[in-house]
Amino acid sequence: SAVISQKPSRDICQRGTSLTIQCQVDSQVTMMFWYRQQPGQSLTLIATANQGSEATYESGFVIDKFPISRPNLTFSTLTVSNMSPEDSSIYLCSASPSYGYTFGSGTRLTVV
Amino acid sequence: AQTVTQSQPEMSVQEAETVTLSCTYDTSESDYYLFWYKQPPSRQMILVIRQEAYKQQNATENRFSVNFQKAAKSFSLKISDSQLGDAAMYFCASYSGGSNYKLTFGKGTLLTVNP
């Protein structure tokens, strides 16, 4: 199955700033997914990213807050914009559908 | 819409013993896939086991096996000979086909392994 490198692994950011998270896959994948995992919670899908088209966002998530790029079949970025403490979470990317949805190692974001 | 329910927020097991984690799901699709993921404190999501709905045989991966009861929409995970390294959050997830390939996750079960 695919291997995903996700960066950064963690960051502490000031409110009002933006952070871009990168995911690099070691093989071409059709779709990538971005999730948010709030402390002690399950994973919530933010959006699905296809190469060459705009990302599809889930209810409660908007492009202005979470812009996503998918320039090719091996790479995607998620930006968390105008951050507030409520954005403090783990963010994970995932690629599908291989044997079973591979995940990046996650980015632990703390907004102060 | 798909739903996945894990009714056990926390479970504990003695090292070398066997533990079963419960999961129920709901889908109107006939073709779907079910997964168990493990998330240790490192937060890496690790695929433990996967089951295709059309397969009657329960999936097995070393010490991990599932009890897939299609009619009851139940998909439990059995961990045999539990090891300290099995301690983690376990998530049950489903994918019910379609072009969006979205996974639906349960709320998770935190497994503690006692030495």
Side-chain angles (χ1 to χ4, degrees):
Chain A
S1 60
V3 175
I4 303 179
S5 299
Q6 183 171 345
K7 296 190 292 186
S9 60
R10 61 178 62 224
D11 208 340
I12 301 173
C13 300
Q14 296 290 322
R15 67 176 66 200
T17 62
S18 298
L19 175 72
T20 295
I21 303 167
Q22 301 179 2
C23 279
Q24 177 74 52
V25 191
D26 68 348
S27 59
Q28 294 185 341
V29 293
T30 305
M31 274 183 276
M32 295 184 70
F33 303 88
W34 288 96
Y35 291 87
R36 182 175 72 184
Q37 186 178 24
Q38 296 178 304
Q41 303 295 314
S42 186
L43 281 72
T44 301
L45 182 64
I46 297 172
T48 302
N50 289 336
Q51 190 266 336
S53 63
E54 282 198 6
T56 302
Y57 289 83
E58 298 298 303
S59 176
F61 298 96
V62 295
I63 188 171
D64 290 345
K65 176 67 175 177
F66 297 101
I68 288 171
S69 77
R70 184 80 202 276
N72 56 52
L73 290 173
T74 63
F75 188 78
S76 180
T77 67
L78 169 76
T79 299
V80 186
S81 303
N82 189 24
M83 289 184 285
S84 66
E86 292 71 33
D87 294 320
S88 297
S89 288
I90 295 170
Y91 293 85
L92 298 108
C93 62
S94 176
S96 83
S98 59
Y99 174 76
Y101 297 82
T102 303
F103 284 81
S105 55
T107 297
R108 183 182 296 276
L109 171 62
T110 303
V111 183
V112 297
Chain B
Q2 305 173 57
T3 60
V4 177
T5 303
Q6 294 178 249
S7 59
Q8 307 155 315
E10 297 184 22
M11 291 283 286
S12 64
V13 63
Q14 291 295 126
E15 196 175 4
E17 297 293 307
T18 295
V19 64
T20 298
L21 308 184
S22 300
C23 174
T24 59
Y25 61 93
D26 191 17
T27 178
S28 57
E29 301 293 332
S30 58
D31 183 21
Y32 54 91
Y33 299 81
L34 299 166
F35 307 88
W36 277 99
Y37 280 91
K38 169 186 177 181
Q39 188 180 41
S42 67
R43 71 179 176 268
Q44 176 76 57
M45 291 286 285
I46 302 166
L47 176 65
V48 175
I49 202 164
R50 142 178 159 152
Q51 175 80 44
E52 293 89 339
Y54 64 85
K55 290 186 177 180
Q56 293 186 344
Q57 186 173 6
N58 289 326
T60 299
E61 289 288 341
N62 301 313
R63 298 182 294 106
F64 298 88
S65 61
V66 298
N67 183 5
F68 175 45
Q69 300 290 326
K70 192 170 184 177
K73 294 185 177 178
S74 172
F75 182 62
S76 60
L77 175 69
K78 185 172 81 170
I79 306 174
S80 304
D81 185 25
S82 296
Q83 301 175 0
L84 295 177
D86 295 333
M89 182 71 84
Y90 286 80
F91 292 99
C92 180
S94 73
Y95 158 59
S96 292
S99 59
N100 57 25
Y101 295 103
K102 292 193 293 187
L103 281 178
T104 300
F105 284 91
K107 292 184 181 296
T109 297
L110 180 62
L111 177 66
T112 302
V113 181
N114 301 310

